[in-house]
Amino acid sequence: MQIAKSFGADVTAVCSTRNVDLVKSIGADRVIDYTKEDFTKTDQRYDMIYDLVGNHSFSERRNILKPNGICVLAGVGGAGLHPGMWGRALGNFATAFKSNFTSQKFVTYIAKLTKDDLNVLRDLMQSGKVAPVIDRTYKMSETQAALRYLEEGHAHGKVVITIE
């Protein structure tokens, strides 16, 4: 979200109640609390959707995309490693195939960083346009506790392991 904002995008974020303040604090123009409102049931239409969760149908997402919009479907692991991730991955590929028959595009995405990407990210961080959101920091000797915390699935940002 911060990267999109740094390039001038108008960003609507979808999150749970407990994350609304955090998402606002890092730059969302609008925040939809999915526990109170289904973003696919509004009149708002989007040029692009970056879907990390994949819990809406192809038609629900198509209905909120503008005619030539694009929906980027996060690759496996985007929402963390979990038992249903392979089904989600297959669903993403099926969705991407279906989009061949529409003006809207659904594409899968798996991050592949390059030196140029990292340089842009460095510049954004140095300028203060992008700042990491760190939930908790653990010592290397506390790695098991950090992993247990991550497995709970409720981190409000990155979990950092420091090397003593």
Side-chain angles (χ1 to χ4, degrees), residues 13-32:
V14 180
C15 63
S16 66
T17 306
R18 69 184 215 120
N19 291 319
V20 167
D21 290 337
L22 169 65
V23 170
K24 284 181 182 177
S25 77
I26 59 173
D29 297 293
R30 281 172 306 290
V31 180
I32 297 173

Side-chain angles (χ1 to χ4, degrees), residues 59-80:
S59 61
E60 287 173 320
R61 289 177 285 189
R62 275 199 70 213
N63 288 337
I64 60 171
L65 272 176
K66 290 183 178 177
N68 290 310
I70 185 167
C71 181
V72 179
L73 308 163
V76 174

Side-chain angles (χ1 to χ4, degrees), residues 96-154:
F97 176 75
K98 289 178 193 176
S99 80
N100 286 320
F101 306 100
T102 72
S103 64
Q104 300 151 321
K105 292 301 164 211
F106 288 71
V107 297
T108 57
Y109 172 76
I110 298 174
K112 183 176 124 182
L113 296 176
T114 66
K115 182 179 178 182
D116 289 340
D117 293 336
L118 293 173
N119 286 334
V120 168
L121 191 55
R122 179 204 59 221
D123 294 344
L124 290 171
M125 292 179 81
Q126 286 178 342
S127 71
K129 292 181 179 178
V130 171
V133 177
I134 299 173
D135 181 343
R136 294 189 183 180
T137 302
Y138 293 86
K139 295 177 184 174
M140 181 71 95
S141 60
E142 301 171 318
T143 301
Q144 286 183 329
L147 289 171
R148 279 193 299 275
Y149 179 68
L150 277 174
E151 288 171 350
E152 291 172 7
H154 301 293

Side-chain angles (χ1 to χ4, degrees), residues 34-89:
Y34 69 74
T35 68
K36 298 176 181 172
E37 179 182 4
D38 182 347
F39 75 99
T40 67
K41 306 283 189 250
T42 69
D43 292 333
Q44 181 68 43
R45 298 294 172 260
Y46 300 95
D47 295 305
M48 180 181 174
I49 298 170
Y50 186 69
D51 190 346
L52 287 169
V53 181
N55 59 349
H56 287 278
S57 71
F58 176 69
S59 61
E60 287 173 320
R61 289 177 285 189
R62 275 199 70 213
N63 288 337
I64 60 171
L65 272 176
K66 290 183 178 177
N68 290 310
I70 185 167
C71 181
V72 179
L73 308 163
V76 174
L81 299 176
H82 54 85
M85 69 183 187
W86 297 114
R88 191 177 114 224

